[in-house]
Amino acid sequence: MRRCFVCAADMIGPTGRGLTYPDGQVRDFPRACNACGVLLAEGADPAACRAHLARHLDAPDFVPDPDAPYGLDLYTLRTAATRLGFGVRPRDDEGRSALRHPHDRRAAQAELFAIDGADRHPVSLGLLGRAAERDALLASLPAQAGWTDDVAILLDGPASAPRTVPVAGFPDGAVRVAARPLDGDFADQRNALQALARHGWMLQLDADESLSPGTGRLLPGLAALAGEGDAISVGLARANRVDGVLSDVFPDVQYRLNRTSVRFAGRVHERPVLDGGWPRSFIGLHGVIEHRLTAAHVRGRSRVYETLDPGRGRSEEEEALMRPYAD
């Protein structure tokens, strides 16, 4: 198994972790995914693991199977369940603690519920782009009107205060367009966009990224799920398509659904800074961010980034982005 059957990351490696099951059985696992945390038995078959997990998620409660070819703590179950549109609710205080302190040795047990039928936190949509991309960004918005009523667009250009723009499907005043100079600092631009949100959560996209309306509709429920577990940042898989071909750099998780109090750091390849560290984040798997790239852009991007932030241009990523996806 090269890629994780839960999150598709090419990050499977040896581990010393194990789980204790409700009957007291203790089981150690030789391998784990270093992205989502799922534990794997030797020789575990991805298709068999996926089918087994789907059967066990098709019930009001998740009960761990000590004979399964994989193992889940509660933190990882939360991520795994989102692939099928489910959230998890801990049964007790130990479970609530497990979400905040991954990865513990207790096999996951939890109540399951449909994210789209659960509590919802309003989510703002934030878009970053250049001045020349303004009209295209506005044209993309009607498809997202089913899940958000607040949109902020921040353009790279001379500073200008937010101005409302009418867009079909949105209430008056819901869509605003502002501008500020990017000045080679992507984190500062994202932080300025965060500050324009009217809701407590914001999803950020770049002009060359898109999100299906179906994926967007689950974001308010996903934000509520995060809030229940004291998480403040949710990562979504990003599908990089170079001249239309899915790149091997997948899932390329981007932490773009954040509480608006979260701030980003890094002039390039910026990431959210989390009070309490990575345990206050998790990966959602119900959909992907589509990222459109050209080969010419990929070849030049790392050199531009290296100029902006020496040592962080990730020149090695260029080759990986140009390589087609493989299981």
Side-chain angles (χ1 to χ4, degrees):
M1 183 189 299
R2 176 194 167 192
R3 290 184 179 272
C4 174
F5 83 93
V6 171
C7 70
D10 183 11
M11 295 180 65
I12 295 174
T15 185
R17 291 172 52 209
L19 294 172
T20 301
Y21 289 83
D23 63 0
Q25 179 178 336
V26 177
R27 184 181 178 190
D28 293 323
F29 289 83
R31 298 198 301 162
C33 174
N34 291 313
C36 71
V38 66
L39 299 169
L40 298 166
E42 199 65 58
D45 176 69
C49 290
R50 278 191 290 270
H52 184 281
L53 179 58
R55 289 194 302 271
H56 279 68
L57 290 173
D58 189 23
D61 293 286
F62 183 87
V63 178
D65 178 1
D67 297 318
Y70 62 90
L72 303 165
D73 68 349
L74 193 55
Y75 178 90
T76 300
L77 175 63
R78 177 173 57 184
T79 283
T82 63
R83 179 178 291 282
L84 298 180
F86 292 114
V88 302
R89 213 165 263 132
R91 291 180 175 178
D92 51 32
D93 288 341
E94 282 186 278
R96 284 182 280 277
S97 177
L99 285 181
R100 293 169 172 81
H101 304 93
H103 293 283
D104 74 340
R105 291 188 60 92
R106 189 182 186 212
Q109 300 182 78
E111 173 191 346
L112 298 170
F113 60 91
I115 293 175
D116 61 357
D119 293 338
R120 298 162 65 86
H121 288 344
V123 175
S124 299
L125 173 61
L127 302 173
L128 289 176
R130 299 187 297 270
E133 295 165 325
R134 175 185 182 275
D135 290 347
L137 289 170
L138 290 170
S140 72
L141 291 180
Q144 310 299 340
W147 64 269
T148 185
D149 61 358
D150 179 51
V151 179
I153 298 175
L154 184 60
L155 304 174
D156 174 16
S160 65
R163 295 183 179 180
T164 60
V165 179
V167 174
F170 287 89
D172 290 345
V175 179
R176 291 105 55 222
V177 179
R180 74 184 292 275
L182 174 64
D183 196 26
D185 193 324
F186 289 91
D188 270 2
Q189 200 77 340
R190 291 205 184 280
N191 293 336
L193 184 57
Q194 289 279 88
L196 294 176
R198 290 171 172 165
H199 295 315
W201 286 81
M202 173 176 266
L203 174 81
Q204 291 200 13
L205 296 175
D206 297 339
D208 58 1
E209 297 172 337
S210 62
L211 197 77
S212 74
T215 298
R217 278 193 291 272
L218 289 190
L219 293 179
L222 197 64
L225 175 66
E228 285 188 19
D230 195 36
I232 56 177
S233 181
V234 181
L236 298 177
R238 184 169 69 173
N240 297 293
R241 299 189 187 275
V242 182
D243 292 338
V245 177
L246 179 61
S247 166
D248 205 39
V249 181
F250 182 84
D252 192 21
V253 174
Q254 301 292 308
Y255 288 85
R256 298 289 189 78
L257 178 61
N258 294 283
R259 284 197 178 275
T260 50
S261 58
V262 170
R263 290 296 175 262
F264 289 79
R267 291 179 63 84
V268 301
H269 299 300
E270 64 284 1
R271 303 277 285 186
V273 178
L274 306 182
D275 180 19
W278 68 266
R280 299 197 72 190
S281 68
F282 66 93
I283 303 170
L285 299 175
H286 74 289
V288 301
I289 297 171
E290 292 285 347
H291 188 203
R292 304 173 302 279
L293 296 161
T294 65
H297 176 74
V298 170
R299 283 191 288 267
R301 186 180 72 161
S302 59
R303 288 181 283 278
V304 172
Y305 284 4
E306 185 66 21
T307 300
L308 293 174
D309 196 355
R312 299 196 69 243
R314 295 186 191 172
S315 57
E316 72 282 356
E317 194 174 77
E318 179 179 326
E319 180 182 349
L321 278 168
M322 299 292 283
R323 187 170 59 240
Y325 177 83
D327 287 329

